[in-house]
Amino acid sequence: MRRERSAFFILFVWVLLMALGTTIAYFLWTILPDRNAVSSLKALQAMQVLFLFILPALAVAWIFQEKPAQWLGLTTFPAPKVWLYAFLLMLVMVPGINLLSYWNQQLSLPACLSGVEEQMKLLEEKSAELLRQFMNTTSFAGFLVNLGLMALLPAIGEELTFRGVLLHTLTTRTQNREPRTENPEPHLAIWVTAIIFSFVHFQFYGFVPRMLMGALLGYMLCWTGSLWIAMLMHFTNNAIVTILYFICLRGGYDTATLDAIGSGDTLWLGILSIIVSVIGIYLFRRSLTMSNASSRTSSGS
């Protein structure tokens, strides 16, 4: 039987493992023949996800938990309609996310922080340029590589890290270690995790929509008890971007128009997306509540 450890100690060990993983990833990158080639940068991206997110999360769960897979939320598989609803909800949210990103980009810091703002813009430009380099392929083989690198691996790694480990650890800290099923909505832990999730991407002009997305994924985990649903939604969001980029490049279209869907001339679509998404989330939560109540009634009769 494993000895119970405090949340602070678990997080401390976890951070050490992530630091070690980052060191390993960068060491492996340094021995590649051409470190500045796009292929080498893609290899670094994959190694970072593996050694920074996936392996440390699995290691922490295995070290400190009697049932690591259950603790991470990997043993619960909701009904097919829940998977379908989560997938469709993510599709509907795309224009709304673009609109929120557009509004976020209009924010500016006070004049006294102009230097900080310039650095933030520089980071955004570098991230955008790296994304363009990664996505710049018209071959189906390259598309599949991008789909795995930009959608599948981040969905697995980041959800294991932020919703699987961080959210659950903060939940036990903020709610006196009561089981997740007894506290289906640990709001403080969900929002702290969402803020950290958005911050570590270091893309501050997309901070608000990414934070809201992180919060939604946290609530989905708590409502369904399944990390797979959060992974599905995360993958769907990233896969949509990857697929649209590929379609634009194959067809010779301007990829800059992708981020404009839901703003500008299609502002109405972004507003409609936000309204429908909010209603959809409410109905989804209500459906799960009614289903759980019905299950408890049936089991008690």
Side-chain angles (χ1 to χ4, degrees), residues 105 116-134 201-206 245 259:
Q105 292 167 15
V116 175
E117 188 169 15
E118 287 299 319
Q119 290 299 315
M120 290 166 56
K121 290 181 179 178
L122 183 60
L123 284 173
E124 290 288 329
E125 293 172 0
K126 289 183 177 180
S127 297
E129 176 58 29
L130 186 60
L131 178 63
R132 284 191 290 268
Q133 292 182 33
F134 277 23
H201 282 80
F202 296 106
Q203 294 175 310
F204 301 103
Y205 288 97
Y245 254 90
D259 293 333

Side-chain angles (χ1 to χ4, degrees), residues 117-299:
E117 188 169 15
E118 287 299 319
Q119 290 299 315
M120 290 166 56
K121 290 181 179 178
L122 183 60
L123 284 173
E124 290 288 329
E125 293 172 0
K126 289 183 177 180
S127 297
E129 176 58 29
L130 186 60
L131 178 63
R132 284 191 290 268
Q133 292 182 33
F134 277 23
M135 294 293 193
N136 188 24
T137 182
T138 56
S139 71
F140 284 99
F143 163 70
L144 292 176
V145 170
N146 285 343
L147 195 63
L149 184 66
M150 307 302 293
L152 182 60
L153 280 179
I156 295 173
E158 293 181 13
E159 291 313 307
L160 281 172
T161 293
F162 293 102
R163 257 60 65 178
V165 174
L166 183 58
L167 174 57
H168 190 207
T169 303
L170 291 179
T171 299
T172 60
R173 174 65 185 176
T174 57
Q175 298 195 347
N176 298 320
R177 299 183 176 84
E178 294 179 14
R180 182 184 293 154
T181 54
E182 297 298 325
N183 295 277
E185 297 178 358
H187 301 292
L188 179 59
I190 288 173
W191 285 98
V192 169
T193 300
I195 291 171
I196 295 174
F197 167 72
S198 186
F199 179 81
V200 299
H201 282 80
F202 296 106
Q203 294 175 310
F204 301 103
Y205 288 97
F207 182 88
V208 173
R210 187 174 291 107
M211 177 189 67
L212 294 176
M213 177 59 63
L216 174 61
L217 295 176
Y219 281 111
M220 294 296 286
L221 169 61
C222 293
W223 293 339
T224 65
S226 174
L227 191 65
W228 297 110
I229 296 299
M231 287 182 180
L232 170 66
M233 296 183 70
H234 196 143
F235 170 79
T236 302
N237 178 65
N238 292 9
I240 290 171
V241 176
T242 305
I243 293 170
L244 291 179
Y245 254 90
F246 181 68
I247 292 174
C248 285
L249 291 173
R250 288 274 295 187
Y253 304 113
D254 184 6
T255 57
T257 59
L258 296 178
D259 293 333
I261 300 174
S263 61
D265 294 337
T266 57
L267 176 64
W268 64 272
L269 184 60
I271 295 175
L272 179 62
S273 170
I274 293 174
I275 293 173
V276 174
S277 298
V278 171
I279 295 174
I281 294 169
Y282 169 76
L283 293 177
F284 180 79
R285 176 69 177 109
R286 182 181 179 186
S287 174
L288 286 177
T289 301
M290 294 176 63
S291 177
N292 292 337
S294 176
S295 298
R296 287 194 296 268
T297 301
S298 299
S299 62

